[in-house]
Amino acid sequence: MVREEIAVSTRTLQWKCVESRTDSKRLYYGRFILSPLMKGQADTIGIAMRRALLGEIEGTCITRAKSESEKVPHEYSTIVGIKESVHEIFMNLKEIVLRSDLYGTRDASICVRGPRYVTAQDIILPSSVEIVDTTQHIANLTEPIDFCIELQIERDRGYRMKTPNNYQDGSYPIGAVSMPVRNANHSIHSYGNGNEKQEILFLEIWTNGSLTPKEALQEASRNLIDLFIPFLHAEEQDINFEDNLNRFTVPLFTFHDRLANIRKNKKEISLKCIFIDQSELPPRTYNCLKRSNIHTLLDLLSNSQEDLMRIEHFRIEDVKRILDILQKRFAIDLPKNKF
């Protein structure tokens, strides 16, 4: 890790990129600092920025594929003359990184003849889309056959899980990962004494090459600002709560004794206000939980280990990681089964 002497201004907030590198065409890294901040502000900004970087930035990717070369009975079929199975080809298409500003759906295609290696360079794209790494492997044609695939490209955010009932006209959905930011971390350096104590926020950002870490930081910042703008222009309205008692009802939730004891022993912790993104989970694990309507620690503690394993695309390693975080940070264990 690169260490630098940092000149801190006590007058206005300043940010700076202290490290930037390109590890490969599909992996960019940037390290940024923001200072000087009052005590507690660095954590507030760091948590919000990490969540915005991982969940609020849009990306472009291939979301659907249809083979024209031969009728494919199912995703795990094999085609004569192609080394990879259909599933392996779809996984290779999923890894292709695209750069664009398009909105809506666009069509692309591949049509080549073997024997040869098929790479991302062979994709015929609309003019508004660019391939980050044209050397990405797709398939190996071992015989003189025609290899033709129709592709669908979309711009979205987060992770879109494919569903078994989402097949149309012989085309197959691809579990699209529209996350230009591969990972984001934040750390805090405190200095000073007493009331003069201040903080420096460090942000580390890894991207897939479709945008730079600096561009990701700026887009995440704009997205956060857009979320708060309505509050600046909102007009205060008097609400007569007595007149609205019949309109609004507060749902009552009943939890087992274990959760009640945990909440009693952890009086200092507001479970509803601790979001799962504060636990620095891997992006894939975080998005799986989010799509299962698990947003806070309270939501997570309402599930058992068995419940988590039922989440689509969840693995035993993900459950172990969650259990380890809960134990280290909150001294809490999840039950194996529902009581």
Side-chain angles (χ1 to χ4, degrees):
M1 181 178 291
V2 176
R3 296 183 180 272
E4 293 191 9
E5 299 250 352
I6 302 168
V8 179
S9 169
T10 58
R11 295 183 180 179
T12 58
L13 281 177
Q14 295 181 349
W15 75 277
K16 179 182 177 182
C17 178
V18 294
E19 184 179 357
S20 178
R21 66 173 186 263
T22 302
D23 294 332
S24 68
K25 291 183 179 180
R26 288 179 278 163
L27 184 58
Y28 290 14
Y29 171 80
R31 186 164 176 256
F32 308 87
I33 62 170
L34 179 67
S35 66
L37 295 163
M38 297 173 60
K39 184 179 179 181
Q41 289 182 336
D43 203 31
T44 300
I45 298 173
I47 292 171
M49 285 302 302
R50 183 175 186 272
R51 185 161 189 169
L53 286 164
L54 294 176
E56 298 295 329
I57 298 181
E58 294 182 339
T60 304
C61 58
I62 299 171
T63 58
R64 186 173 289 274
K66 179 181 180 181
S67 175
E68 294 181 347
S69 303
E70 182 177 329
K71 187 175 181 181
V72 180
H74 55 80
E75 182 180 344
Y76 298 94
S77 303
T78 57
I79 300 176
V80 177
I82 302 179
K83 184 177 180 180
E84 292 84 359
S85 66
V86 175
H87 176 73
E88 290 172 327
I89 294 173
F90 288 169
M91 290 299 99
N92 292 336
L93 290 171
K94 176 180 178 179
E95 295 297 321
I96 292 176
V97 180
L98 303 174
R99 182 190 294 118
S100 80
D101 295 323
L102 67 82
Y103 287 94
T105 303
R106 296 290 188 276
D107 293 327
S109 63
I110 303 174
C111 195
V112 296
R113 184 168 179 81
R116 58 171 294 178
Y117 286 98
V118 183
T119 65
Q121 188 175 6
D122 297 308
I123 301 177
I124 303 172
L125 293 167
S127 58
S128 58
V129 183
E130 177 186 351
I131 297 174
V132 171
D133 184 4
T134 58
T135 64
Q136 282 183 263
H137 178 75
I138 296 176
N140 180 12
L141 309 183
T142 58
E143 297 182 12
I145 62 171
D146 291 326
F147 180 78
C148 296
I149 294 182
E150 292 181 359
L151 303 174
Q152 181 176 290
I153 297 173
E154 293 183 59
R155 185 177 178 85
D156 203 348
R157 65 180 63 180
Y159 181 72
R160 179 188 300 180
M161 292 182 290
K162 59 184 181 179
T163 57
N165 299 324
N166 198 16
Y167 303 113
Q168 301 172 359
D169 302 326
S171 63
Y172 292 84
I174 296 175
V177 182
S178 303
M179 297 172 62
V181 177
R182 288 189 170 187
N183 197 8
N185 290 328
H186 81 277
S187 57
I188 301 168
H189 172 70
S190 300
Y191 62 96
N193 297 312
N195 295 331
E196 301 296 326
K197 196 168 186 179
Q198 293 181 316
E199 298 177 337
I200 301 175
L201 172 65
F202 291 83
L203 277 171
E204 291 183 290
I205 304 172
W206 291 261
T207 68
N208 65 0
S210 62
L211 75 174
T212 65
K214 180 181 177 181
E215 291 170 337
L217 182 63
Q218 292 172 339
E219 185 171 342
S221 300
R222 285 192 294 267
N223 289 340
L224 284 176
I225 291 171
D226 290 342
L227 288 174
F228 289 104
I229 281 179
F231 293 108
L232 298 177
H233 301 288
E235 296 182 0
E236 292 187 6
Q237 295 181 357
D238 294 330
I239 301 176
N240 190 335
F241 289 99
E242 293 182 0
D243 294 340
N244 290 279
L245 284 177
N246 295 328
R247 186 182 306 176
F248 300 103
T249 57
V250 180
L252 298 176
F253 297 92
T254 304
F255 300 96
H256 46 74
D257 295 338
R258 182 184 180 86
L259 181 56
N261 291 333
I262 290 174
R263 294 188 65 183
K264 182 178 179 181
N265 295 333
K266 299 292 178 180
K267 293 181 180 179
E268 300 294 327
I269 300 176
S270 177
L271 301 180
K272 290 183 180 180
C273 297
I274 301 179
F275 291 89
I276 58 174
D277 65 331
Q278 295 175 243
S279 302
E280 297 187 359
L281 293 167
R284 192 187 62 80
T285 306
Y286 165 74
N287 281 288
C288 286
L289 291 174
K290 186 176 178 181
R291 281 179 167 75
S292 298
N293 292 321
I294 299 176
H295 303 286
T296 66
L297 184 59
L298 186 63
D299 298 332
L300 186 59
L301 294 179
S302 301
N303 293 271
S304 65
Q305 298 180 34
E306 186 180 11
D307 294 330
L308 295 181
M309 286 302 300
R310 293 196 186 101
I311 298 176
E312 189 174 3
H313 303 291
F314 228 63
R315 302 174 300 188
I316 186 64
E317 292 82 3
D318 301 319
V319 176
K320 290 180 180 179
R321 178 71 179 271
I322 290 173
L323 292 176
D324 185 56
I325 291 174
L326 289 177
Q327 183 60 42
K328 287 182 178 179
R329 297 197 175 193
F330 308 104
I332 297 174
D333 289 320
L334 282 182
K336 291 185 177 180
N337 304 298
K338 275 284 188 183
F339 288 98

Coordinates of all heavy atoms in Angstrom, one line a residue, residues 38-81:
M38 N -15.0 16.5 10.6 CA -15.3 16.5 12.1 C -15.5 15.0 12.5 O -15.8 14.1 11.7 CB -16.5 17.3 12.4 CG -16.3 18.8 12.1 SD -17.9 19.7 12.3 CE -18.2 19.4 14.1
K39 N -15.3 14.8 13.8 CA -15.5 13.4 14.3 C -16.8 12.8 14.0 O -17.9 13.4 14.2 CB -15.3 13.4 15.8 CG -15.3 12.0 16.4 CD -15.1 12.1 17.9 CE -15.1 10.7 18.6 NZ -14.9 10.8 20.0
G40 N -16.8 11.6 13.4 CA -18.1 11.0 13.0 C -18.5 11.2 11.5 O -19.2 10.4 11.0
Q41 N -18.0 12.3 10.9 CA -18.4 12.5 9.5 C -17.8 11.6 8.5 O -18.5 11.2 7.5 CB -18.0 14.0 9.2 CG -18.9 15.0 9.8 CD -18.5 16.4 9.4 OE1 -17.4 16.7 9.0 NE2 -19.4 17.4 9.6
A42 N -16.6 11.1 8.8 CA -15.9 10.2 7.8 C -16.7 8.9 7.7 O -16.9 8.4 6.6 CB -14.5 9.9 8.3
D43 N -17.2 8.4 8.8 CA -18.0 7.1 8.8 C -19.3 7.3 8.1 O -19.7 6.5 7.3 CB -18.2 6.6 10.2 CG -18.5 5.1 10.3 OD1 -17.9 4.4 9.4 OD2 -19.2 4.7 11.1
T44 N -19.9 8.5 8.3 CA -21.2 8.8 7.6 C -21.0 8.8 6.1 O -21.8 8.2 5.4 CB -21.8 10.1 8.1 OG1 -22.0 10.1 9.5 CG2 -23.1 10.4 7.4
I45 N -20.0 9.5 5.7 CA -19.8 9.6 4.2 C -19.3 8.3 3.6 O -19.7 7.9 2.6 CB -18.7 10.8 4.0 CG1 -19.3 12.1 4.4 CG2 -18.4 10.8 2.5 CD1 -18.3 13.2 4.4
G46 N -18.4 7.6 4.4 CA -17.8 6.4 3.9 C -18.9 5.3 3.6 O -18.9 4.6 2.6
I47 N -19.8 5.1 4.6 CA -20.9 4.1 4.4 C -21.8 4.5 3.3 O -22.1 3.6 2.5 CB -21.6 4.0 5.8 CG1 -20.8 3.4 6.9 CG2 -22.9 3.2 5.6 CD1 -21.4 3.5 8.2
A48 N -22.2 5.8 3.2 CA -23.0 6.2 2.1 C -22.4 6.0 0.7 O -23.0 5.5 -0.2 CB -23.5 7.6 2.3
M49 N -21.1 6.4 0.6 CA -20.4 6.3 -0.6 C -20.2 4.8 -1.1 O -20.4 4.5 -2.2 CB -19.0 7.0 -0.5 CG -19.1 8.5 -0.6 SD -19.9 9.1 -2.0 CE -18.9 8.5 -3.3
R50 N -19.9 3.9 -0.1 CA -19.7 2.5 -0.5 C -21.0 1.9 -1.0 O -21.0 1.2 -2.0 CB -19.2 1.7 0.8 CG -19.0 0.3 0.4 CD -18.4 -0.5 1.6 NE -18.0 -1.8 1.2 CZ -18.8 -2.9 1.2 NH1 -20.1 -2.7 1.6 NH2 -18.4 -4.1 0.8
R51 N -22.1 2.3 -0.3 CA -23.4 1.8 -0.8 C -23.8 2.3 -2.1 O -24.3 1.6 -3.0 CB -24.5 2.1 0.3 CG -25.8 1.5 -0.1 CD -26.7 1.6 1.2 NE -27.9 0.8 0.9 CZ -28.8 0.5 1.9 NH1 -28.5 0.8 3.1 NH2 -29.9 -0.2 1.6
A52 N -23.5 3.6 -2.4 CA -23.8 4.2 -3.7 C -22.9 3.6 -4.8 O -23.4 3.4 -5.9 CB -23.7 5.7 -3.6
L53 N -21.7 3.4 -4.5 CA -20.7 2.8 -5.4 C -21.1 1.4 -5.9 O -21.0 1.1 -7.1 CB -19.3 2.8 -4.9 CG -18.6 4.2 -4.8 CD1 -17.4 4.1 -3.8 CD2 -18.1 4.6 -6.2
L54 N -21.5 0.6 -4.9 CA -21.9 -0.8 -5.2 C -23.3 -1.0 -5.7 O -23.5 -2.0 -6.4 CB -21.6 -1.7 -4.0 CG -20.2 -1.8 -3.5 CD1 -20.1 -2.6 -2.2 CD2 -19.3 -2.4 -4.5
G55 N -24.2 -0.1 -5.4 CA -25.6 -0.4 -5.8 C -26.3 0.7 -6.6 O -27.4 0.4 -7.2
E56 N -25.7 1.9 -6.8 CA -26.4 2.9 -7.5 C -25.8 3.3 -8.9 O -26.4 4.1 -9.6 CB -26.4 4.2 -6.6 CG -27.1 4.0 -5.3 CD -28.6 3.8 -5.5 OE1 -29.2 4.3 -6.4 OE2 -29.2 3.0 -4.6
I57 N -24.7 2.7 -9.2 CA -24.1 3.0 -10.5 C -24.5 2.0 -11.6 O -24.5 0.8 -11.4 CB -22.5 3.1 -10.4 CG1 -22.1 4.1 -9.4 CG2 -21.9 3.3 -11.7 CD1 -20.6 4.2 -9.2
E58 N -24.9 2.6 -12.7 CA -25.4 1.7 -13.8 C -24.3 1.2 -14.6 O -23.3 1.8 -14.8 CB -26.4 2.5 -14.7 CG -27.7 2.9 -13.9 CD -28.7 3.6 -14.8 OE1 -28.2 4.2 -15.9 OE2 -29.9 3.7 -14.5
G59 N -24.5 0.0 -15.2 CA -23.6 -0.6 -16.1 C -24.3 -1.3 -17.3 O -25.5 -1.6 -17.2
T60 N -23.6 -1.5 -18.3 CA -24.1 -2.2 -19.5 C -23.6 -3.6 -19.7 O -22.4 -3.8 -19.5 CB -23.7 -1.3 -20.8 OG1 -24.2 0.0 -20.6 CG2 -24.4 -1.9 -22.0
C61 N -24.5 -4.5 -20.0 CA -24.0 -5.9 -20.1 C -25.0 -6.7 -21.0 O -26.1 -6.2 -21.4 CB -23.9 -6.6 -18.8 SG -25.4 -6.6 -17.8
I62 N -24.6 -7.9 -21.4 CA -25.4 -8.8 -22.2 C -26.4 -9.5 -21.3 O -26.0 -10.1 -20.2 CB -24.5 -9.8 -22.9 CG1 -23.6 -9.1 -23.9 CG2 -25.4 -10.8 -23.7 CD1 -22.5 -10.0 -24.5
T63 N -27.7 -9.4 -21.6 CA -28.7 -10.0 -20.7 C -29.4 -11.2 -21.3 O -30.2 -11.9 -20.6 CB -29.8 -8.9 -20.4 OG1 -30.3 -8.4 -21.6 CG2 -29.1 -7.8 -19.6
R64 N -29.3 -11.4 -22.6 CA -30.0 -12.5 -23.2 C -29.3 -13.0 -24.5 O -28.6 -12.2 -25.1 CB -31.4 -12.1 -23.6 CG -32.3 -13.2 -24.1 CD -33.8 -12.7 -24.3 NE -34.4 -12.5 -23.0 CZ -35.0 -13.5 -22.3 NH1 -35.1 -14.7 -22.8 NH2 -35.6 -13.2 -21.2
A65 N -29.3 -14.3 -24.7 CA -28.7 -14.9 -25.9 C -29.5 -15.9 -26.6 O -30.3 -16.7 -25.9 CB -27.3 -15.5 -25.5
K66 N -29.5 -16.0 -27.9 CA -30.2 -17.0 -28.7 C -29.4 -17.6 -29.8 O -28.8 -16.8 -30.6 CB -31.5 -16.3 -29.3 CG -32.3 -17.3 -30.1 CD -33.5 -16.6 -30.7 CE -34.4 -17.6 -31.5 NZ -35.6 -16.9 -32.1
S67 N -29.2 -18.9 -29.8 CA -28.4 -19.5 -30.8 C -29.2 -19.8 -32.1 O -30.3 -20.3 -32.0 CB -27.8 -20.8 -30.3 OG -27.1 -21.5 -31.3
E68 N -28.6 -19.4 -33.2 CA -29.2 -19.6 -34.5 C -28.6 -20.8 -35.2 O -29.1 -21.3 -36.2 CB -29.1 -18.4 -35.4 CG -29.8 -17.2 -34.9 CD -29.7 -16.0 -35.8 OE1 -28.8 -16.0 -36.7 OE2 -30.5 -15.0 -35.6
S69 N -27.4 -21.3 -34.7 CA -26.7 -22.3 -35.4 C -27.4 -23.7 -35.3 O -27.4 -24.4 -36.3 CB -25.3 -22.5 -34.8 OG -24.6 -21.2 -34.9
E70 N -28.0 -23.9 -34.2 CA -28.6 -25.2 -34.0 C -29.7 -25.1 -32.9 O -29.5 -24.3 -32.0 CB -27.6 -26.2 -33.6 CG -28.1 -27.6 -33.4 CD -27.0 -28.6 -33.0 OE1 -25.9 -28.4 -33.5 OE2 -27.2 -29.6 -32.3
K71 N -30.7 -25.8 -33.0 CA -31.8 -25.7 -31.9 C -31.2 -26.3 -30.6 O -30.8 -27.4 -30.6 CB -33.0 -26.4 -32.4 CG -34.2 -26.2 -31.4 CD -35.4 -26.9 -31.9 CE -36.6 -26.7 -30.9 NZ -37.8 -27.3 -31.4
V72 N -31.2 -25.5 -29.6 CA -30.7 -25.9 -28.3 C -31.8 -26.3 -27.4 O -32.6 -25.4 -27.0 CB -29.9 -24.7 -27.7 CG1 -29.3 -25.1 -26.3 CG2 -28.8 -24.2 -28.6
P73 N -31.9 -27.5 -27.0 CA -33.0 -28.0 -26.2 C -33.0 -27.4 -24.7 O -34.0 -27.2 -24.2 CB -32.8 -29.5 -26.1 CG -31.4 -29.8 -26.5 CD -31.0 -28.6 -27.4
H74 N -31.8 -27.2 -24.2 CA -31.7 -26.6 -22.9 C -30.3 -26.0 -22.7 O -29.4 -26.2 -23.5 CB -31.9 -27.6 -21.8 CG -31.1 -28.8 -21.8 ND1 -29.8 -28.8 -21.4 CD2 -31.3 -30.1 -22.3 CE1 -29.2 -30.0 -21.6 NE2 -30.1 -30.8 -22.1
E75 N -30.1 -25.2 -21.6 CA -28.9 -24.4 -21.4 C -27.7 -25.3 -21.3 O -26.6 -24.8 -21.6 CB -29.1 -23.6 -20.2 CG -28.0 -22.6 -19.9 CD -28.2 -21.8 -18.6 OE1 -29.4 -21.7 -18.2 OE2 -27.3 -21.2 -18.1
Y76 N -27.8 -26.5 -20.8 CA -26.7 -27.3 -20.5 C -26.4 -28.3 -21.7 O -25.7 -29.3 -21.5 CB -26.9 -28.1 -19.2 CG -27.0 -27.2 -18.1 CD1 -28.2 -26.8 -17.6 CD2 -25.9 -26.7 -17.4 CE1 -28.4 -25.9 -16.5 CE2 -26.0 -25.8 -16.4 CZ -27.2 -25.4 -15.9 OH -27.3 -24.5 -14.9
S77 N -26.9 -28.0 -22.9 CA -26.7 -28.8 -24.0 C -25.2 -28.6 -24.6 O -24.6 -27.6 -24.2 CB -27.7 -28.5 -25.1 OG -29.0 -28.6 -24.7
T78 N -24.8 -29.5 -25.4 CA -23.5 -29.3 -26.2 C -23.8 -29.3 -27.6 O -24.8 -29.9 -28.1 CB -22.6 -30.5 -25.9 OG1 -23.2 -31.7 -26.2 CG2 -22.2 -30.5 -24.4
I79 N -23.0 -28.6 -28.4 CA -23.2 -28.5 -29.8 C -22.0 -29.1 -30.5 O -20.8 -28.8 -30.1 CB -23.3 -27.0 -30.3 CG1 -24.6 -26.4 -29.6 CG2 -23.4 -26.9 -31.8 CD1 -24.8 -24.9 -29.9
V80 N -22.2 -29.9 -31.5 CA -21.1 -30.6 -32.2 C -20.2 -29.6 -32.9 O -20.7 -28.7 -33.6 CB -21.7 -31.6 -33.3 CG1 -20.5 -32.2 -34.1 CG2 -22.5 -32.6 -32.6
G81 N -18.9 -29.7 -32.6 CA -18.0 -28.8 -33.2 C -17.6 -27.6 -32.4 O -16.8 -26.8 -32.7

